[in-house]
Amino acid sequence: MQDKQNLTYKQQYEQAQAECAMQLAVVQPWLKQFTEEYNKNHPRATMGTCMYDNGKEDQVRIITSPFGDFYWHTEAGKTLMERQKTGEIGLYYVYGAGSSFIIEYSPAQQAVFAYEGQLYQGVHREPVNAYFLYTEPYINAAGSVEEAALAAKNATKRAEVPMEVALAAQKLNSAQNYLGAVYGCMLEEERRGW
């Protein structure tokens, strides 16, 4: 693989696309299987395809800032957000699906890293546990407002996820962020006629 500094933006974009495809090949099948299993066990409250394709057959977007979901305004959600800020967990939100991959890390250990021939001191955390938070679909039944509020309160559930899938979601997030940055550079290059 060539050094990124010697690649054109188009070549970097193609490499980032390949990285996204590689991580997507791990994350998307797990999400699809999870959704199918859930739908089989909950025929009145099926999950839509946004869980695994976000409206496009080959696309799952992973972001690090959940929004628009009731859960993140609860005490449990706020606690997770605080833990993310301290580095205790990694939170990788499936855009548009009301679900997140959570990776819990070991306490920080002092470590020495080598980068481009230089040694740097920092902290290292090992991933020790992973799980998946998901939102129960809302059932628009002839129930009361109190029932709807109770359903919303209990809507977020926790499921086990293999560590390799959660780590692939983390890598997919990084690759998608890089892909977006390189795409922006390509557009700027085109705009300036370079």
Side-chain angles (χ1 to χ4, degrees):
M1 185 188 292
Q2 285 181 298
D3 182 12
K4 284 186 180 178
Q5 291 177 338
N6 298 325
L7 297 177
T8 66
Y9 287 129
K10 186 173 189 309
Q11 291 169 323
Q12 289 180 48
Y13 185 79
E14 289 167 356
Q15 277 191 351
Q17 278 185 312
E19 178 66 21
C20 286
M22 192 167 60
Q23 301 309 326
L24 190 63
V26 176
V27 174
Q28 188 175 25
W30 187 87
L31 286 171
K32 191 171 188 177
Q33 180 183 5
F34 177 85
T35 302
E36 288 170 358
E37 190 66 31
Y38 180 91
N39 290 347
K40 187 172 28 169
N41 295 327
H42 301 83
R44 283 194 62 225
T46 58
M47 291 183 176
T49 58
C50 66
M51 176 71 85
Y52 58 86
D53 73 7
N54 193 29
K56 298 178 185 175
E57 190 56 38
D58 64 346
Q59 185 71 23
V60 173
R61 284 186 52 207
I62 304 289
I63 59 177
T64 55
S65 300
F67 58 90
D69 191 326
F70 174 84
Y71 180 76
W72 303 105
H73 302 291
T74 66
E75 285 306 311
K78 289 176 184 175
T79 299
L80 278 177
M81 296 297 278
E82 286 302 315
R83 290 182 68 200
Q84 178 188 26
K85 289 177 188 172
T86 64
E88 292 176 56
I89 66 165
L91 192 154
Y92 304 97
Y93 188 76
V94 182
Y95 180 75
S99 58
S100 298
F101 292 95
I102 310 290
I103 301 173
E104 294 180 336
Y105 294 98
S106 65
Q109 302 280 329
Q110 290 295 321
V112 176
F113 302 95
Y115 179 71
E116 295 184 355
Q118 297 290 319
L119 293 178
Y120 299 93
Q121 188 170 358
V123 294
H124 176 71
R125 294 176 183 260
E126 284 290 321
V128 293
N129 187 32
Y131 55 94
F132 185 68
L133 289 180
Y134 62 98
T135 302
E136 295 273 352
Y138 175 70
I139 301 172
N140 191 3
S144 67
V145 173
E146 291 82 19
E147 287 173 346
L150 182 62
K153 183 177 178 185
N154 297 317
T156 302
K157 304 293 181 194
R158 181 175 167 159
E160 295 304 313
V161 63
M163 181 63 78
E164 63 269 13
V165 174
L167 290 173
Q170 176 189 41
K171 291 175 186 171
L172 180 59
N173 170 252
S174 295
Q176 287 174 334
N177 288 340
Y178 183 70
L179 185 70
V182 173
Y183 183 69
C185 291
M186 285 172 55
L187 290 180
E188 184 64 14
E189 204 175 46
E190 185 179 297
R191 186 182 74 80
R192 292 178 184 229
W194 291 347

